[in-house]
Amino acid sequence: RDDFNGNGDIYASSLKNGTWSIPEAFPEPINSEYHESTVSMSSDGNKLFFTSNRPGGHGGLDIWYTEKNKSGIWGEAKNLGANINSDQHEEGLFLHPNDKTLFFSSRRPGGFGGYDIYYTNYENGKWSTPENLGEQINTNNDDVYFMLDIANGQAFLSSLNQTIGNKELLSFGWNDALLSIEKSPKKSPIIKGRIDH
C-alpha cells in the first residue's frame, strides 16, 4: 500500500487465532522512500525478494533481495543484477517452493507484448538467464502475478482480456517437469487478498 508520500510499501499481517493482525510495514532496508511493490519469501522465511525503483537498479522496477540474520534482522538489500533486471519494469514475483526457481513478469524486449512471465534458476551460486514461459502462457497483453499451487498441480496468473477490458484471473494445470524444475516436497504458499492495480 502507499505510504504518506504516495510511494508503495510492503506490509505483513499474521494469522493468530483465526484473525489477521493489523498490517505492519516492513522496516528498512526493504521499504524505502521509493516505490516497493510485489514480494515473495523463501520457504524458511529468511530470504525476501521484492521489487523497487530505488537507486542502484537498472531502470524501472528491479528485483532486489535481502536475507534475515540469526537475530531476525533483515540485511542489506541487494539487486539481483543486470542478468535478471532489464531497463524496463520487473514485477509479480513468485519464488517456487524449491527456493531455487524465481518467476517474475517483465516488459523487457523480446516478449510477446506488455508484461510477459519469465523464470530463472539459481545454479552454482548465480541466477540463470531468464527464460520466457512461451506463447502458450504469455499473450500480447499484460501477463503478471504468476504463482503455483504445487500440491494441486495448478498455476495461476492475471492477464488483460482485450474483449472485457479488465484483468482476469486464469488457472491451468502445471507440472514442474515441463521446465525441468527441481521438485520440492514443500507445499506452495498461497496468498489471499485483494489486488488493486
Side-chain angles (χ1 to χ4, degrees), residues 121-177:
N121 288 309
Y122 192 70
E123 303 168 340
N124 302 317
K126 63 180 182 179
W127 292 96
S128 64
T129 300
E131 295 188 41
N132 192 297
L133 281 185
E135 60 185 346
Q136 289 185 321
I137 295 175
N138 289 308
T139 68
N140 60 355
N141 295 308
D142 287 338
D143 304 293
V144 290
Y145 307 118
F146 177 90
M147 67 182 307
L148 299 173
D149 178 2
I150 299 296
N152 295 306
Q154 290 288 305
F156 302 87
L157 64 88
S158 173
S159 184
L160 180 64
N161 186 305
Q162 284 186 320
T163 302
I164 301 176
N166 295 311
K167 284 186 170 66
E168 291 186 317
L169 182 63
L170 307 176
S171 67
F172 53 93
W174 179 265
N175 186 337
D176 281 347

Side-chain angles (χ1 to χ4, degrees), residues 41-188:
M41 186 176 285
S42 61
S43 58
D44 63 5
N46 291 326
K47 185 176 286 187
L48 195 72
F49 295 82
F50 62 96
T51 51
S52 175
N53 64 353
R54 66 186 62 192
H58 298 274
L61 291 166
D62 270 20
I63 303 174
W64 299 73
Y65 77 97
T66 177
E67 296 186 68
K68 187 186 294 184
N69 64 24
K70 293 181 179 179
S71 300
I73 304 300
W74 292 105
E76 176 188 1
K78 299 178 181 179
N79 190 283
L80 239 56
N83 184 46
I84 304 300
N85 291 305
S86 68
D87 60 357
Q88 302 296 313
H89 288 315
E90 275 69 48
E91 261 285 18
L93 308 179
F94 176 76
L95 184 64
H96 190 286
N98 65 16
D99 290 337
K100 295 181 179 180
T101 304
L102 180 66
F103 295 88
F104 64 95
S105 294
S106 176
R107 286 185 173 271
R108 67 186 61 211
F112 296 97
Y115 279 105
D116 271 18
I117 298 167
Y118 294 79
Y119 74 100
T120 175
N121 288 309
Y122 192 70
E123 303 168 340
N124 302 317
K126 63 180 182 179
W127 292 96
S128 64
T129 300
E131 295 188 41
N132 192 297
L133 281 185
E135 60 185 346
Q136 289 185 321
I137 295 175
N138 289 308
T139 68
N140 60 355
N141 295 308
D142 287 338
D143 304 293
V144 290
Y145 307 118
F146 177 90
M147 67 182 307
L148 299 173
D149 178 2
I150 299 296
N152 295 306
Q154 290 288 305
F156 302 87
L157 64 88
S158 173
S159 184
L160 180 64
N161 186 305
Q162 284 186 320
T163 302
I164 301 176
N166 295 311
K167 284 186 170 66
E168 291 186 317
L169 182 63
L170 307 176
S171 67
F172 53 93
W174 179 265
N175 186 337
D176 281 347
L178 295 173
L179 299 179
S180 299
I181 293 175
E182 181 178 328
K183 292 185 177 180
S184 169
K186 304 181 182 73
K187 293 183 178 180
S188 300

